[in-house]
Structure formats: structure tokens, C-alpha cells
Amino acid sequence: MAKKALVAMSGGVDSSVAAYLTQQNGFEATGITLKLFDNEDIGERREKTCCSLDDIDDARNVCYKIGIPYYVYNFKDSFKENVIERFINAYENGTTPNPCIDCNRYIKFEKLMRRAEELEFNFVVTGHYAKIEYNESAGRYFLKKSADIAKDQSYVLYSLTQKQLAKTLLPLGNMTKTEVREIAEKLGLINARKHDSQDICFVPDGDYAEFIERYTGKAYPCGDFVDANGNVLGEHKGIIRYTVGQRKGLGLALPHPMYVKEKDLANNRVVLCRNEELFSRELYATDINLISCEKIDKPIRIKARVRYNQCEQSATAEQIDENTLHIVFDEPQRAISKGQAAVIYDGDIVVGGGTII
């Protein structure tokens, strides 16, 4: 009897080809799309976001084309609590969130995995570009980089547990995006040339501050831009509108370029600095998840990333308690931001990661 696999389908080409490959690999595949929000909830009338009605139609079309069942699961309440409200809370508390990581952690690989188990599916399948392999000598499942390094998504999957890795299939891990599109075109899939989604799904226009104000109904008061010495440089338009390292959109005429260094919530001030003052060599990350090992017993040499699109940087990592990593880079890194993920690698293997504090 074929093993059953539940395929998470966003309506895009990657998850569509993942569904096809799952079926071709002998699994009894079922496609599902997660209904995460109503467009009215996010102030969006046009169907241009991930998991919109258009995307649901595309996913349903693909499932019909390849001959597998298709369903839509309503996860709106969970998404609101675990992704949207976490996102808003982070900005209100001066940190920079990564909602895609929260969606993977709390929705796709927690809520969806639980639903799959309830329905007696053996695996959950996604279209992420990464690889999962069981390492006999370590006795653990490893998460590894994709064969297509330009599309690698291992960074946003660092929170996967051993149980979740054991029940997850990533069919695109050894493929390139070009190969995926070629398969979709040969099959005549409706989304073979569909553009990848670039924005956060619930903020399709990229204006985070406007979304937060509309969603919460709050007004975030203006305050002072100041330098490191507390000298007032001008007025900001609400503390949620700024992120560490930002230069554009400050609305200031200054004698030299200035960047956001930090946010002083207690005094509603945004601290600015010169570019060279944004660099630092170390960070602490908490709420950690280790994949390739149970714990880090001594300082280890690794490569680390502190944001999704950053190249890995050489560093030393040490686990200083059960839930905290200390990472020291060989070279200073620009704009390390609280709230973002620090993910550490040993070659193409994800050692683990955590949230920068």
C-alpha cells in the first residue's frame, strides 16, 4: 500500500512540481492550500498575494491536471495569532521580524503536521529548496542546502525538529529552478511561468507601517531622530517605520549619510549613526534549535547568516546555556538586527539557529 503524502501547495510552480514528483515517486499524494487570511483582513482587494483565491484556483487546476485530490484548509486563526500578531508585536518592540520563518515554524510544520497525523498521512511535502538526509553515524536527520544555491531556503527552515524532519519530504532539493520550470512546461501546468512571490504575503505592497496602523487601528506618534550623543537631528514619523541599517526614507537633510542604529522605545527616539558605526562582530541568539547535533559542547568553527539574503560569514559559535548561542564573527558584520534569525552552517549542513537578541 502506497504511503500517503500531504502536499502544501501555494499555487506557485515550485509546490506544483513538488506535488507531481511526489506522485511520480509512488506516494498517494493529496494537494492542500492553507487559507491564511481574507484579503479584506489585510486591506487588499486585488488577488495578487500568496494563497489568494487566484492561487487556490491555480493549485486546484494543477491537482486536477496531475490527477490528485485537492482541499483547502482554514488556518486563519492560527496564522493571525502566530504570524501576523508576532510580526506586529516585533515592530512595536523595536525588533525586525521574519514572518516567513514563523509561518514555517508554527503553521506549516506544526499545525499542518499535526493535521496530517490526524488524517493518517505519513509525510508533509513542500516546495522548499533544501534537502533532508538521515545521517547514520549521528543518528539524526540533517537539513542541508539546496543543489540550487541561488534558490536555497535552508535558512528559513532552521527551526525544524527531528520529528518534523523525519516526516517531511522536499522533492526539489536536488533540482534547479530552471529544471522545475521545464517540468512544469512539459506537463502544461497553468503556473509554469508564474512569477515567484517576493513580498510578505499579508503585506503585498511592502508598506509594513501602513499595514500595522490599519490592522491595529493605532496611531504611532512622531518623535526625535537623535545621534549617539542624544543631539536631535529631526523628527521621525512613528517608530515602527524604521529598521536597523535603514538610510532611505528618513526625510532628513544631513551633512553626511546617516543610518538607523537602534530604536529607543522608552523615549520614542530613533538613534542614527554613520555607516561604519553599524558594524559589530558578535551576537547572542536565543530560542535556539539545533539540527545536526543535540548540543554544542565546545566552541566550533562555522559559517553564519544573520539575514536571508546574506552570504555566509566565518565565525565561532558557542552554546552558553540550553537556549542561547554566542556567535563571534571573524570580520565585523553590518546591521545585525534583533529579531532576525542567526543560522549556522557546517559546509552545506545546517547546524541550527536562533533569534538574535
Side-chain angles (χ1 to χ4, degrees):
M1 186 174 181
K3 289 189 174 183
K4 297 169 64 179
L6 195 62
V7 187
M9 301 182 68
S10 66
V13 66
D14 295 330
S15 55
S16 297
V17 171
Y20 168 74
L21 293 174
T22 301
Q23 178 199 48
Q24 293 301 297
N25 287 331
F27 292 91
E28 183 183 324
T30 296
I32 60 100
T33 296
L34 306 181
K35 183 65 174 173
L36 302 178
F37 52 81
D38 292 320
N39 278 13
E40 294 77 12
D41 294 339
I42 63 168
E44 176 59 47
R45 293 182 175 84
R46 292 172 293 172
E47 301 294 345
K48 66 176 183 178
T49 67
C50 166
C51 305
S52 68
L53 292 178
D54 284 352
D55 292 314
I56 289 172
D57 288 342
D58 288 349
R60 181 180 288 113
N61 183 292
V62 167
C63 289
Y64 178 80
K65 181 87 173 179
I66 65 177
I68 66 173
Y70 175 73
Y71 302 96
V72 178
Y73 292 169
N74 185 345
F75 279 12
K76 290 189 292 185
D77 289 344
S78 295
F79 189 77
K80 177 181 178 181
E81 176 185 355
N82 293 294
V83 181
I84 295 180
E85 291 181 357
R86 283 177 178 273
F87 174 86
I88 292 171
N89 184 65
Y91 269 105
E92 288 183 331
N93 286 281
T95 65
T96 305
N98 192 318
C100 295
I101 289 177
D102 285 341
C103 185
N104 284 326
R105 182 174 188 174
Y106 298 107
I107 307 300
K108 292 176 185 173
F109 296 101
E110 183 175 302
K111 300 292 185 183
L112 181 57
M113 188 75 72
R114 193 177 306 152
R115 180 71 60 88
E117 290 176 350
E118 292 168 354
L119 297 174
E120 299 184 338
F121 282 87
N122 306 99
F123 297 98
V124 165
V125 182
T126 75
H128 286 102
Y129 286 84
K131 294 186 283 189
I132 298 171
E133 297 176 2
Y134 185 74
N135 185 283
E136 292 284 354
S137 60
R140 299 177 69 85
Y141 285 90
F142 281 9
L143 175 66
K144 304 176 76 173
K145 295 177 192 172
S146 165
D148 187 343
I149 294 301
K151 296 297 295 181
D152 175 57
Q153 293 173 296
S154 59
Y155 174 86
V156 297
L157 298 176
Y158 82 86
S159 64
L160 286 175
T161 66
Q162 286 295 304
K163 180 181 178 181
Q164 291 167 341
L165 289 164
K167 292 179 174 292
T168 299
L169 300 177
L170 304 177
L172 308 188
N174 287 307
M175 302 180 67
T176 66
K177 183 75 175 195
T178 299
E179 290 170 333
V180 169
R181 288 203 185 275
E182 287 174 352
I183 290 174
E185 289 193 326
K186 287 178 182 177
L187 293 172
L189 300 186
I190 192 171
N191 51 17
R193 286 291 155 188
K194 188 173 183 178
H195 291 301
D196 293 339
S197 176
Q198 299 294 329
D199 298 313
I200 293 173
C201 63
F202 56 90
V203 193
D205 62 1
D207 191 339
Y208 307 145
E210 197 275 334
F211 165 77
I212 293 171
E213 289 178 334
R214 183 176 65 245
Y215 192 92
T216 63
K218 297 179 184 178
Y220 296 87
C222 298
D224 292 331
F225 283 119
V226 298
D227 63 19
N229 296 316
N231 298 310
V232 176
L233 304 174
E235 183 180 75
H236 69 68
K237 294 181 170 62
I239 209 159
I240 62 168
R241 297 183 178 276
Y242 308 95
T243 57
V244 173
Q246 178 179 338
R247 176 188 173 188
K248 294 182 179 179
L250 301 182
L252 298 175
L254 299 170
H256 49 77
M258 296 284 278
Y259 301 80
V260 176
K261 182 178 183 180
E262 60 183 313
K263 294 189 276 189
D264 177 359
L265 297 175
N267 297 299
N268 190 30
R269 302 191 304 182
V270 176
V271 182
L272 304 182
C273 67
R274 293 176 180 262
N275 184 61
E276 57 268 25
E277 297 174 78
L278 286 173
F279 288 79
S280 55
R281 284 193 59 210
E282 61 184 313
L283 65 82
Y284 290 88
T286 190
D287 193 21
I288 66 173
N289 181 61
L290 298 177
I291 295 177
S292 65
C293 58
E294 186 173 348
K295 62 181 178 179
I296 299 173
D297 294 317
K298 59 184 179 181
I300 58 172
R301 293 291 296 167
I302 46 87
K303 295 287 185 74
R305 292 164 65 184
V306 296
R307 61 182 61 85
Y308 180 73
N309 58 359
Q310 183 199 32
C311 294
E312 292 157 31
Q313 303 295 316
S314 296
T316 299
E318 181 181 10
Q319 184 176 351
I320 59 174
D321 61 37
E322 183 178 343
N323 206 29
T324 309
L325 288 176
H326 180 215
I327 300 173
V328 180
F329 291 93
D330 293 0
E331 301 292 335
Q333 303 298 305
R334 185 182 185 277
I336 297 175
S337 302
K338 291 185 290 184
Q340 289 284 288
V343 180
I344 59 177
Y345 292 82
D346 178 7
D348 64 347
I349 299 168
V350 177
V351 178
T355 302
I356 298 169
I357 56 172

